[in-house]
């Protein structure tokens, strides 16, 4: 006999209010489908007091409270671990929340943080805030630093951020060289691996200790939800992250977790098809007289192509154009406005193509290009139609 606490099912003679809360109906056993169950809870029921007292929130083989996991969120964490080759995964309400979690878990006042000049700009903003108000020293390194990072590592350096490739500007870091230098000094390296969705770049193989994903992008795949993930193989780091995750009270909704689970089976197909389409467009754009340079690491003419070839098995459909320097930013805005299939909007990863002009000089310590930058995200439309859209927009706006 189990000592499971008895739960009363209201009988027909019970009051309606009680029957509404304690209906006796149980769905038949034996249901099976491909869709993972969307299980919801704030309250998780314990079998009895003894089980409640014996259960800790850290134990992922059981359930304590909705915030600490349900079968749906545990399933998503496990699936993301499989993609990235991780052992531990935590979900966060957004990619930025995942970045903040890593910073808060590993840094305290008196510590030193290194970030690349091309880091995702809200990450840089958090770093500035940590420096200004929380007594953490923050230093910005050149994205191409490689093994040179060794000279910047101090005794109090507690975290090095990397991004492969850098947001918007697409420089590829020499991650193995950075990680070797960091490991020699016992400093963990966090990698923002959002661009590759974890399928075109093996961050752990290249030395990262912690990987962060904005699941908002390709994993969600439909421009309709926000979520982030923090992944690691290291039990000690996982524990630090886990405690911080609990203290910050991060939770994600079962419906959002389900929507990502629903789209994972075709993640690789979408990624590869979009990669092909984007490379075709990027190669064509490289031949256009209006364009000074295409920043797409899979293009042989693009900076850091050699590192991309060495370390990546594919490319995201997100890349940037540098226009000839005689075009004003108003003209590049006019290109964005004239595009009819490319929406103007932040984020990416969904079915619809997007464009976004960025004033990189305002965002960076150093930036070698004089021309304006337009970032393109290639969705699931036919390449020929996207190309015609770009051709028409250039003709209209850059006469
Ligand atoms: C979008 C993005 C993030 C943040 O993700 P959100 O879910 O939008 O907060 C972080 N890093 C990179 C590289 C991104 O593209």
């Amino acid at each position: 006999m189990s000592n499971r606490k008895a739960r009363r099912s209201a009988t027909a003679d019970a009051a309606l209010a009680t029957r509404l809360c304690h209906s006796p109906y149980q769905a038949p056993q034996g249901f099976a489908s491909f869709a993972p169950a969307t299980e919801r809870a704030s309250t998780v029921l314990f079998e009895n007091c003894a089980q409640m007292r014996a259960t800790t929130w850290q134990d992922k083989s059981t359930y304590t409270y909705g915030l600490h996991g349900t079968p749906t969120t545990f399933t998503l964490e496990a699936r993301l671990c499989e993609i990235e080759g991780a052992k531990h995964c935590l979900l966060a309400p957004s990619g930025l929340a995942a970045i903040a979690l890593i910073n808060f878990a590993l840094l305290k006042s008196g510590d030193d943080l290194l970030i690349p000049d091309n880091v995702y700009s809200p990450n840089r903003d958090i770093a500035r805030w940590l420096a200004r108000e929380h007594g953490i020293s923050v230093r910005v390194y050149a994205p191409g630093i490689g093994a040179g990072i060794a000279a910047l590592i101090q005794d109090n350096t507690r975290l090095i951020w990397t991004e492969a490739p850098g947001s918007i500007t697409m420089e590829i870091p020499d991650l193995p060289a950075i990680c070797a230098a960091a490991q020699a000094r016992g400093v963990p390296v966090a990698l923002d691996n959002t661009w590759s969705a974890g399928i075109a770049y093996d961050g752990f193989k290249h030395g990262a200790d912690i990987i962060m994903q904005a699941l908002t992008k390709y994993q969600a795949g439909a421009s309709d939800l926000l979520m982030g993930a923090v992944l690691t193989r290291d039990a000690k780091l996982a524990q630090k992250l886990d405690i911080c995750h609990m203290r910050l009270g991060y939770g994600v909704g079962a419906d959002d977790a389900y929507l990502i689970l629903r789209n994972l089976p075709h993640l690789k197909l979408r990624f590869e098809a979009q990669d092909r389409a984007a490379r075709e467009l990027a190669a064509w754009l490289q031949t256009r007289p209006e364009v000074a340079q295409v920043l797409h690491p899979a293009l042989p003419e693009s900076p850091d192509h050699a590192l991309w070839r060495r370390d990546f098995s594919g490319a995201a459909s997100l890349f940037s154009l540098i226009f000839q320097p005689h075009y004003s930013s108003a003209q590049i805005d006019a290109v964005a406005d004239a595009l009819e299939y490319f929406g103007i909007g932040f984020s990416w990863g969904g079915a619809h193509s997007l464009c976004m002009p960025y004033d990189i000089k305002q965002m960076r310590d150093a930036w070698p290009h004089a021309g304006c930058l337009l970032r393109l995200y290639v969705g699931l439309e036919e390449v020929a139609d996207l190309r015609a859209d770009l051709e028409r927009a250039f003709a209209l706006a850059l006469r």
Side-chain angles (χ1 to χ4, degrees):
M1 260 304 272
S2 142
N3 59 348
R4 182 186 292 270
K5 175 182 163 64
R7 283 184 62 203
R8 178 177 294 209
S9 294
T11 47
D13 57 350
L16 177 62
T18 305
R19 282 187 284 130
L20 287 172
C21 298
H22 297 275
S23 165
Y25 179 77
Q26 296 279 330
Q29 297 292 304
F31 175 76
S33 82
F34 289 115
T38 308
E39 311 230 38
R40 280 172 240 270
S42 50
T43 298
V44 168
L45 287 176
F46 296 101
E47 283 186 18
N48 50 44
C49 285
Q51 191 225 346
M52 177 273 292
R53 290 190 200 287
T55 308
T56 64
W57 65 267
Q58 292 99 329
D59 180 1
K60 289 201 169 187
S61 69
T62 184
Y63 306 99
T64 46
Y65 189 52
L67 195 58
H68 309 312
T70 63
T72 310
T73 58
F74 283 175
T75 302
L76 179 55
E77 289 172 359
R79 300 286 303 277
L80 296 169
C81 281
E82 288 163 12
I83 294 171
E84 208 93 37
K87 288 210 177 89
H88 312 274
C89 176
L90 291 165
L91 300 175
S94 68
L96 185 56
I99 290 170
L101 169 64
I102 295 169
N103 285 329
F104 295 151
L106 299 185
L107 298 169
K108 61 180 187 321
S109 88
D111 289 348
D112 176 63
L113 166 67
L114 290 168
I115 58 170
D117 194 18
N118 58 355
V119 78
Y120 178 66
S121 51
N123 188 348
R124 188 175 183 133
D125 182 67
I126 295 179
R128 284 205 194 100
W129 172 58
L130 292 175
R132 204 169 53 238
E133 303 197 15
H134 297 278
I136 289 161
S137 78
V138 175
R139 287 169 304 138
V140 176
Y141 66 86
I145 197 165
I149 196 98
L152 295 182
I153 298 174
Q154 301 175 169
D155 290 340
N156 65 338
T157 303
R158 291 290 175 268
L159 178 63
I160 300 172
W161 266 103
T162 59
E163 202 168 309
S167 268
I168 309 165
T169 50
M170 304 292 153
E171 303 93 335
I172 306 261
D174 187 345
L175 196 66
I178 291 174
C179 292
Q183 201 168 42
R185 299 288 297 274
V187 181
V189 173
L191 166 70
D192 184 335
N193 201 19
T194 302
W195 190 76
S196 87
I199 60 178
Y201 187 61
D202 187 339
F204 289 121
K205 188 184 111 190
H206 292 102
D209 299 286
I210 300 171
I211 289 178
M212 168 260 147
Q213 279 287 344
L215 307 174
T216 307
K217 309 296 165 58
Y218 285 116
Q219 292 86 344
S223 315
D224 60 354
L225 68 87
L226 291 148
M227 203 181 296
V230 176
L231 302 113
T232 181
R233 288 177 169 176
D234 181 285
K236 270 206 180 122
L237 283 173
Q239 201 177 18
K240 277 190 182 176
L241 291 161
D242 211 21
I243 290 170
C244 185
H245 185 263
M246 192 275 277
R247 288 182 179 148
L248 292 174
Y250 281 4
V252 303
D255 288 312
D256 285 350
Y258 173 74
L259 287 172
I260 294 179
L261 283 166
R262 189 178 198 261
N263 287 348
L264 287 184
H266 43 73
L267 172 65
K268 188 162 181 285
L269 283 180
R270 284 185 281 119
F271 189 92
E272 288 171 356
Q274 290 176 257
D275 179 4
R276 276 195 301 280
R279 281 196 227 187
E280 202 178 317
L281 268 186
W284 169 73
L285 284 161
Q286 186 73 82
T287 68
R288 291 292 307 200
E290 300 88 346
V291 175
Q293 177 142 35
V294 178
L295 304 176
H296 185 310
L299 284 195
E301 301 83 2
S302 192
D304 297 330
H305 174 68
L307 282 170
W308 176 84
R309 273 181 76 103
R310 188 190 73 183
D311 294 345
F312 284 70
S313 61
S317 63
L318 183 80
F319 63 97
S320 295
L321 308 177
I322 306 285
F323 285 90
Q324 298 291 358
H326 62 270
Y327 295 121
S328 67
S329 71
Q331 281 177 293
I332 304 314
D333 282 2
V335 171
D337 287 340
L339 286 166
E340 292 178 347
Y341 284 129
F342 291 81
I344 300 171
F346 292 108
S347 206
W348 43 277
H352 303 83
S353 291
L354 294 165
C355 65
M356 182 58 75
Y358 282 96
D359 190 355
I360 300 293
K361 263 173 267 166
Q362 296 297 312
M363 301 163 72
R364 297 275 297 260
D365 290 357
W367 179 239
H369 300 280
C372 295
L373 182 147
L374 183 69
R375 187 180 75 177
L376 296 180
Y377 166 69
V378 177
L380 293 167
E381 304 92 338
E382 191 63 43
V383 185
D385 292 332
L386 296 178
R387 177 174 153 164
D389 197 24
L390 284 158
E391 220 160 4
R392 204 187 36 79
F394 284 6
L396 258 170
L398 304 179
R399 262 185 295 226

